[in-house]
Amino acid sequence: MAESIAEFVALVSEDHLPDGLETLVVLTFVKPDGDHSYCSRYDFLQHPVFTGIQTLTKEAHEMLRAARAIYIDGYVFDELPSSIVAPALKQAQRAGASVFFDPGPRGSTGQKGPGCTALTAMLDIADVVLLTEEEALAVTGMAKPSAAARAVLERPQGRAQWVVVKLGRAGSWLFTTSQALYQPAFQVEAKDSVGCGDSMAAAMVLGFIHSGCPAATLTLANAVGGVTAMGAGAGRNVARHQQVAVLLQRGIDQADHSGPSASDCQAALDLMSLSGAQGP
């Protein structure tokens, strides 16, 4: 393991990017408690990396205009300046798309310079903002989830309708301008939390654009995150349709005070049917 880490550090310390046939190599460190952190060559480069790009391609603009939802995380701004990303997202919104923003670890590191500009722009643009407790504090300066959500929802130039604060094993909150909804997590045997946030985001997108029901959406997001936590790593190990359905059905059949209600599990199961997912 030590040799692998040493080789990786040497790799990310190089001052060139992989050629066009390679994707970014990211090393994920998982702690015994399931928490994790990432390291990649982008951590050693000046951001944004692709400063030579002045505009998106015609094909990219066409895809954005045709999209119903666009998910953006903070790592996008390691690659592209906000002066390119923000106008493209606004154009997509004018065409009817909803924008979802999860700053991720960059919510903590992007507090000055270009990172701050990008973060500010996204908090104003996004229709839905997803945060962990730590990110909520870093982004808003507010320790309580309700106060952090209010700071986002009440931004003078903002348009956020939902703010989600993820609590890990304790569940999650969903805030609107008129509602604060808490949903407990499903009790699962978790291996690690890698990929849980991105998996939950997929459920939030589905619920927001198809039903707009906060309770069903948050319950489904917790179920997807819980199933993902049962596997090791992300990639092909994230939650599968059938696994989520089984967990929700268990919530219907064996509902108790420590988990989501049977009615919310049923609503989440009904919502999942709108995804059109096939296979396992």
Side-chain angles (χ1 to χ4, degrees), residues 253-276:
D253 298 336
Q254 305 173 12
D256 59 57
H257 68 279
S258 64
S261 69
S263 60
D264 284 343
C265 289
Q266 182 62 62
L269 195 58
D270 294 341
L271 171 59
M272 191 170 63
S273 68
L274 299 176
S275 69

Side-chain angles (χ1 to χ4, degrees), residues 51-170:
T51 53
I53 296 179
Q54 300 299 319
T55 184
L56 299 180
T57 65
K58 177 182 178 182
E59 291 76 13
H61 282 293
E62 290 176 351
M63 291 179 65
L64 289 170
R65 285 195 296 269
R68 291 190 63 184
I70 302 169
Y71 171 76
I72 296 286
D73 62 33
Y75 288 109
V76 169
F77 299 101
D78 286 353
E79 301 174 343
L80 297 171
S82 60
S83 59
I84 292 177
V85 177
L89 293 176
K90 291 178 180 179
Q91 180 187 52
Q93 281 178 322
R94 289 193 294 270
S98 299
V99 173
F100 299 74
F101 177 54
D102 185 339
R106 291 304 186 251
S108 300
T109 58
Q111 296 300 309
K112 59 183 179 179
C116 184
T117 300
L119 180 62
T120 299
M122 286 308 307
L123 291 176
D124 284 341
I125 292 171
D127 297 283
V128 178
V129 177
L130 304 104
L131 306 160
T132 64
E133 283 186 285
E134 294 79 9
E135 292 159 5
L137 174 60
V139 168
T140 69
M142 304 293 181
K144 297 181 69 172
S146 58
R150 189 163 55 250
V152 175
L153 292 167
E154 295 179 355
R155 291 178 65 87
Q157 305 302 319
R159 55 177 286 151
Q161 299 177 51
W162 288 4
V163 174
V164 177
V165 180
K166 298 169 285 186
L167 310 177
R169 298 171 188 265

Side-chain angles (χ1 to χ4, degrees), residues 236-254:
R236 296 181 182 273
N237 294 328
V238 298
R240 302 292 184 92
H241 186 278
Q242 185 58 37
Q243 294 172 307
V244 177
V246 168
L247 184 59
L248 288 171
Q249 189 62 53
R250 190 187 78 185
I252 296 170
D253 298 336
Q254 305 173 12

